[in-house]
Amino acid sequence: MSGFLEIRGLSARLAGTGQRLLRSVDISLPAGSVRGLVGESGAGKSMIGKAVLGVLPKAVEIVEGEILLDEQDLLKVPPAERRRLIGAKAALIPQDPLTALNPSRRIGPQITDRLVDILGWEKARAASRALEVLVEVSIPEPERVMRLYPHELSGGMRQRILIASAFAAEPKLIVADEPTTALDVTVQKQILKLISQLQARHGTALLFVTHDLGVVSKVCDTLSVLYAGKVVEDTTVQRFFAAPQHPYSQALLAATPRHTDPAASLQPVPQAVIDAAMAEVAADDAAWRPQGGAHG
Amino acid sequence: MADTIFQVSDLRVDVPDMTRKPLFGAAPRLEILKGVSFDIARGTVLGIVGGSGSGKTTLGRTLVRLVEPSAGRLLFDGQDITHLSDADMRALRPRIQMIFQDPMSSLNPRLTVGRTIAAPLGAGAGDPRVKAALEQVGLPAAFARRYPHELSGGQRQRVGIARAIAMRPDFILADEIVSGLDVSSQAQVLMLLEQLVVELGLTLVFISHDLSVIRRLCSRVIVLRSGEIVEDAATADLFERPQHAYTRELLDAIPIPDPSVRW
Ligand SMILES: Nc1ncnc2c1ncn2[C@@H]1O[C@H](COP(=O)(O)OP(=O)(O)OP(=O)(O)O)[C@@H](O)[C@H]1O
Ligand SMILES: Nc1ncnc2c1ncn2[C@@H]1O[C@H](COP(=O)(O)OP(=O)(O)OP(=O)(O)O)[C@@H](O)[C@H]1O
Ligand SMILES: [Mg+2]
Ligand SMILES: [Mg+2]
């Protein structure tokens, strides 16, 4: 089955150094399904999201591979066309809620601008849609909040603003980069249920970056485990929790804390597992011959 | 009490509510902290939990006097710092460190990681304490030459932690510092903090949404709701015998990592 989002053999490296950041990544995401993306800090989870949204930092170049969005290879269309395609079909819930918002502008226009600029909506329609999505993410007093500046909101409120903003245009794909890390568990639960509902209702494909396996077990259908830019396991959530295959996945699951069981508390992934995964990556790099014809 | 590092009594914070400001005259006040009282024993870890917008960050920022209380009293090591001037606070700064919720906005984008950590020490980026701090938070020494935008979210968070611990402070306020880290990195950071508490007598206030982490790290927990303390208990009691309905609600909302357990 071909997904709404198909990433095939995507490799990226740091310009100038040749250091590989993504290593032949394959990810398939059918419309209406949710894929979790987990892995160590620095493994390249956000890079994958940024590559899909066309917002990679300048220092990172794509060496080879395809990113098919609704069957169109984003890497083969001209930049202006690519921006339009992405703007109409996909949205990002970014990882850093404070820096993602412009500190000197009120919340309201930050939500409505995208609707007006990219989708060409009337201002009034955009404003009423903004109110609607703020209510959906349980922002109290939404009219008032629209008139506030980002620094007047708590971390969790800023994160909900970004979630609301991503859903406002009803995109077909949402890349959510740790969308609930700044939320308390009750709000997290409510927001995740809401994201699942919206996602199911609109048939949105969701790529869900998180380090919380508890969250993965509740909202995802499939899962990619990333280590040093390489997908070391691509599996269903059921299979992952029943029997993770890769040693790094096994260690990750074992290291996950359970508040109900303080004895089995947080522990680091064993050094032997890390060494083995690094060796695997090194062997991979040694065998790798870039195909050429790439672009960023 | 000699072993009390912070004494907080009836602490209140309010801010002008600009959205309700009349055209002429002062804006009405919005109460964020409505009179909170507690002590922190030296060398312990106090957890602060509570809903989004309940006032955790504001309470933390008030403890380290980035925010001035509007009423109440705040003693640090016996000294009244409730209304201490910025100049007088500066003398205490090396002893009181904080690590923020939003790593990107608390790092200067024009400073390399090395200079970020070295600056508060009054040292250069080559100072051995920089390398040691990076190592303690699990970052390669070569990261000293990078800029914040060249780091992943979790790596930035660890730079903030490295900057704080390099100062060898008496007190650290950590606001939601591990929520952006994978579990293995979380474990490393928590082990490091535990070690600093045990070996150097560090006192830590740890704000977190993650109750598994709170359970592991803290000896006592305060539950905040709408700017008020609704529960203040030893950690084991809080988890095994939560008194307040809100605390129970928080515990029930934790996603158990198992797809067969309903949520
Ligand atoms: N502009 C840049 N220049 C150089 N290296 C970079 C740059 N941006 C990111 N990196 C590196 O690329 C790697 C992947 O970063 P990415 O942000 O994708 O990690 P991540 O998996 O999202 O991690 P986290 O869970 O900490 O957010 C990291 O090791 C990071 O240091
Ligand atoms: N400068 C300010 N002006 C107006 N309101 C503010 C200001 N700072 C904070 N607030 C409000 O005070 C309340 C408490 O905010 P605070 O950041 O302390 O919450 P928090 O418990 O840390 O929440 P989170 O878990 O979401 O980070 C929020 O309702 C917030 O909107
Ligand atoms: Mg990231
Ligand atoms: Mg906060």
Side-chain angles (χ1 to χ4, degrees):
Chain A
M1 187 175 45
S2 164
F4 183 79
L5 172 68
E6 284 283 338
I7 301 178
R8 294 189 190 142
L10 188 70
S11 286
R13 69 181 170 203
L14 210 52
T17 70
Q19 186 200 330
R20 271 176 107 189
L21 293 178
L22 296 179
R23 300 180 149 87
S24 307
V25 168
D26 293 318
I27 285 176
S28 173
L29 184 59
S33 77
V34 186
R35 177 176 286 274
L37 186 54
V38 302
E40 247 205 340
S41 171
K45 304 181 294 294
S46 298
M47 285 294 164
I48 293 177
K50 286 176 183 167
V52 171
L53 273 295
V55 292
L56 275 179
K58 287 212 168 49
V60 178
E61 57 179 11
I62 291 177
V63 194
E64 64 179 5
E66 297 177 337
I67 302 175
L68 302 173
L69 184 66
D70 206 3
E71 298 181 349
Q72 251 184 316
D73 188 351
L74 294 176
L75 301 178
K76 292 214 173 74
V77 297
E81 168 73 359
R82 187 194 311 170
R83 268 196 301 278
R84 200 194 55 76
L85 267 177
I86 295 171
K89 292 182 178 173
L92 175 71
I93 304 175
Q95 185 171 3
D96 208 323
L98 189 53
T99 40
L101 291 165
N102 181 340
S104 55
R105 298 195 67 208
R106 295 176 197 273
I107 297 298
Q110 301 206 44
I111 301 176
T112 54
D113 275 2
R114 260 194 64 218
L115 303 176
V116 174
D117 296 347
I118 299 177
L119 302 178
W121 288 19
E122 301 265 322
K123 278 219 169 88
R125 179 174 168 216
S128 76
R129 176 68 183 146
L131 265 183
E132 200 176 285
V133 284
L134 288 179
V135 172
E136 280 187 322
V137 297
S138 308
I139 290 282
E141 307 181 82
E143 285 96 346
R144 175 172 170 269
V145 168
M146 297 250 283
R147 283 182 279 124
L148 295 178
Y149 289 95
H151 77 268
E152 294 173 315
L153 299 172
S154 77
M157 288 166 88
R158 289 194 286 258
Q159 205 161 35
R160 279 182 278 169
I161 303 282
L162 291 169
I163 294 171
S165 183
F167 272 100
E170 301 191 358
K172 285 289 170 202
L173 168 71
I174 290 184
V175 177
D177 198 346
E178 310 204 11
T180 58
T181 40
L183 300 178
D184 70 87
V185 284
T186 55
V187 177
Q188 164 173 282
K189 181 172 178 180
Q190 181 195 337
I191 295 284
L192 289 178
K193 293 211 155 161
L194 173 78
I195 290 181
S196 299
Q197 271 168 22
L198 290 172
Q199 176 272 328
R201 192 182 319 144
H202 301 295
T204 321
L206 187 62
L207 185 61
F208 199 101
V209 178
T210 179
H211 57 81
D212 187 336
L213 290 176
V215 167
V216 167
S217 78
K218 304 303 171 224
V219 303
C220 301
D221 307 310
T222 54
L223 181 64
S224 300
V225 181
L226 203 65
Y227 188 87
K230 178 182 153 77
V231 177
V232 295
E233 185 156 356
D234 178 341
T235 182
T236 66
V237 164
Q238 294 296 337
R239 254 187 288 145
F240 177 83
F241 284 93
Q245 296 300 304
H246 195 276
Y248 178 73
S249 309
Q250 293 163 355
L252 203 59
L253 191 55
T256 297
R258 287 152 208 264
H259 78 283
T260 45
D261 180 7
S265 80
L266 276 169
Q267 41 187 302
V269 168
Q271 191 59 41
V273 173
I274 291 174
D275 292 345
M278 283 315 286
E280 198 180 308
V281 165
D284 225 65
D285 282 1
W288 180 61
R289 299 281 172 271
Q291 298 303 300
H295 33 173
Chain B
M1 252 200 321
D3 59 349
T4 301
I5 190 161
F6 264 108
Q7 279 172 273
V8 180
S9 25
D10 197 27
L11 199 69
R12 288 165 196 273
V13 169
D14 52 38
V15 296
D17 184 351
M18 299 313 286
T19 61
R20 296 196 214 287
K21 185 187 177 315
L23 194 49
F24 300 102
R29 309 292 292 183
L30 188 69
E31 271 195 300
I32 299 179
L33 293 180
K34 301 168 184 167
V36 298
S37 307
F38 58 93
D39 290 348
I40 307 175
R42 193 185 309 279
T44 63
V45 186
L46 172 71
I48 301 182
V49 303
S52 173
S54 59
K56 303 179 297 295
T57 297
T58 305
L59 175 55
R61 291 173 64 90
T62 311
L63 283 180
V64 301
R65 274 300 319 278
L66 289 178
V67 169
E68 186 173 351
S70 38
R73 212 157 81 110
L74 184 60
L75 302 187
F76 172 71
D77 226 353
Q79 182 183 356
D80 190 333
I81 62 166
T82 321
H83 301 289
L84 210 60
S85 70
D86 288 351
D88 289 332
M89 265 318 283
R90 211 162 295 140
L92 289 175
R93 284 287 170 225
R95 301 176 54 196
I96 305 180
Q97 287 295 301
M98 54 236 114
I99 314 170
F100 296 100
Q101 185 166 7
D102 252 300
M104 194 55 182
S105 52
S106 67
L107 298 176
N108 182 338
R110 281 180 290 276
L111 286 191
T112 60
V113 166
R115 289 185 55 203
T116 300
I117 299 170
L121 297 168
D127 195 283
R129 284 171 291 178
V130 172
K131 192 162 167 262
L134 284 174
E135 194 173 302
Q136 283 184 304
V137 298
L139 290 176
F143 270 54
R145 288 189 299 275
R146 291 209 189 182
Y147 289 90
H149 74 270
E150 297 174 333
L151 305 175
S152 78
Q155 289 162 348
R156 270 175 216 149
Q157 192 58 276
R158 282 186 272 181
V159 171
I161 299 168
R163 175 176 56 183
I165 62 173
M167 296 289 288
R168 293 274 172 258
D170 296 330
F171 176 81
I172 294 183
L173 165 75
D175 191 353
E176 209 66 70
I177 61 165
V178 295
S179 56
L181 300 179
D182 63 276
V183 284
S184 182
S185 309
Q186 283 190 17
Q188 270 174 24
V189 167
L190 295 182
M191 280 159 57
L192 170 65
L193 291 175
E194 278 167 347
Q195 187 195 341
L196 294 174
V197 169
V198 172
E199 287 173 12
L200 303 175
L202 173 76
T203 308
L204 188 65
V205 165
F206 196 86
I207 300 176
S208 179
H209 290 308
D210 191 330
L211 294 161
S212 327
V213 170
I214 291 278
R215 173 148 213 186
R216 150 85 182 263
L217 189 67
C218 304
S219 44
R220 201 174 120 216
V221 185
I222 282 176
V223 184
L224 265 190
R225 183 178 202 184
S226 307
E228 286 170 307
I229 294 178
V230 296
E231 192 155 353
D232 176 348
T235 305
D237 292 339
L238 187 91
F239 280 84
E240 271 139 42
R241 289 173 292 280
Q243 297 300 309
H244 198 280
Y246 182 64
T247 312
R248 285 194 290 275
E249 211 179 293
L250 282 179
L251 291 173
D252 288 342
I254 300 173
I256 309 275
D258 178 348
S260 62
V261 177
R262 277 204 45 151
W263 192 36

